Amino acid sequence: MSELVLTDLHKRFGGQAVLSGLDLTVPAGSFTALLGASGVGKTTLLRLLAGFETPDRGTIAIGGRTVDGEGTHVRPEQRQIGYVPQEGSLFPHLSVAANVAFGLPRPARRHGVEDLLERVGLEGLGGRYPHQLSGGQQQRVALARALAVRPEVVLLDEPFASLDANLREGVREEARRILRAAGTTTLLVTHQQDEALAIADLVAVLRDGTIVQHAAPHELYAEPVDGELACFVGDANLIDGVIDDSVVDTPLGKLPARWHGEPVGAQCQVTVLIRPEQIAVHTPNGDAAPLGRVIRCGYHGHDTVLHVQLTPDNEGPVVIVRTLGQATVAPGERVSLTAHGSVLVWPRRAAR
């Protein structure tokens, strides 16, 4: 197991800065997800790690050994890195066994290939060709090929993106099991928030060329550093409020609040994060609960997502509400809403 440490990485292509002082530590043996929107530089970062590109500035170290920076550039084949690209990139004219053996020295091929195929659940399929396998089996061949070089670090570049939804979850769980058993340090690149939160020990979010937050999935969801990140990792209601000590006054009533970082002060305007699952919908019963009108209702089987416009004048903010199963209300109905649990707040930014 080897720790992966990236320090002050910079990379430009022409006049476009892709990475701007990126710092990231991937603990030895961990399964870490690098999460970011399309086009933010995730694949560029993987190519730097693999040695296919060189950084303009900064260092990359694997297991305490500098592989880039400080006048050093270690060639890709000498970095002990396994790389699984998005489509697997298997050689179509080679059998499964030959694909896996491609990175192995000749004396180790026969026994090594059989062992690797057994580890990824493909024993007996060494004689087949890529076109004779399912998408999930092809990805397991690509994973076996990456593990063949006994890597210290495995890089996964959105390897499950081409699989259909029913297959994707099973394949990624199997891949995580295989990589944990192999004891490798793994960095998965993905733009899918649910995938990152479900599979990773730690999630690093890439935005504007830097890592804006690096935390365990539950912390990233519950304690995002700002409203933009809150919306990126899940459905979020960002509403205005005024905080007094540890209570914030919002359109959904007074709620217990917690600051992200150090408290700024009492009686100040804040932005409040309320997750959809924190809000309950009720039939109006004359109490003081805020009133709203259901404007949209989306049924997903396991839950229903409602969009509710606050205040009866049709001009208030719209909040998202998630309820288990089928909702008992329909578009156009008036409802009362109550929020449960504490809410996260940040100082409200001045309008630009």
Side-chain angles (χ1 to χ4, degrees), residues 213-258:
Q213 190 167 2
H214 183 204
H218 65 87
E219 182 181 346
L220 193 73
Y221 186 79
E223 307 287 336
V225 295
D226 56 31
E228 183 178 347
L229 185 57
C231 294
F232 184 63
V233 298
D235 290 333
N237 296 302
L238 301 179
I239 61 178
D240 294 338
V242 177
I243 195 165
D244 186 2
D245 194 16
S246 59
V247 175
V248 61
D249 193 2
T250 76
L252 292 174
K254 293 185 177 182
L255 304 170
R258 61 190 192 279

Side-chain angles (χ1 to χ4, degrees), residues 139-177:
Q139 286 304 97
R140 282 190 275 170
V141 174
L143 185 58
R145 187 173 63 184
L147 290 173
V149 297
R150 297 187 177 180
E152 295 184 21
V153 175
V154 171
L155 307 177
L156 306 174
D157 189 2
E158 306 215 39
F160 316 118
S162 61
L163 304 178
D164 63 62
N166 292 332
L167 185 61
R168 187 182 306 131
E169 182 175 355
V171 172
R172 73 189 184 201
E173 288 297 328
E174 184 68 9
R176 181 170 68 168
R177 182 194 65 77

Side-chain angles (χ1 to χ4, degrees), residues 264-294:
V264 174
Q267 293 296 329
C268 66
Q269 295 183 329
V270 293
T271 297
V272 183
L273 168 63
I274 305 178
R275 292 292 185 186
E277 60 271 19
Q278 289 184 261
I279 303 175
V281 179
H282 313 279
T283 301
N285 57 10
D287 60 17
L291 286 177
R293 182 175 62 89
V294 178

Side-chain angles (χ1 to χ4, degrees), residues 271-325:
T271 297
V272 183
L273 168 63
I274 305 178
R275 292 292 185 186
E277 60 271 19
Q278 289 184 261
I279 303 175
V281 179
H282 313 279
T283 301
N285 57 10
D287 60 17
L291 286 177
R293 182 175 62 89
V294 178
I295 59 174
R296 194 171 8 152
C297 181
Y299 178 60
H300 301 283
H302 47 75
D303 63 15
T304 300
V305 176
L306 306 173
H307 289 72
V308 180
Q309 188 160 40
L310 301 182
T311 75
D313 58 7
N314 297 332
E315 296 180 358
V318 174
V319 297
I320 304 170
V321 182
R322 181 176 291 112
T323 64
L324 290 176

Side-chain angles (χ1 to χ4, degrees), residues 121-138:
L122 295 176
E123 59 271 26
L125 299 184
R128 294 192 183 182
Y129 286 81
H131 72 274
Q132 298 174 312
L133 304 178
S134 68
Q137 289 173 324
Q138 290 180 26

Side-chain angles (χ1 to χ4, degrees), residues 192-203:
Q192 296 183 342
Q193 298 86 339
D194 60 339
E195 180 168 271
L197 296 178
I199 197 173
D201 304 317
L202 295 166
V203 180

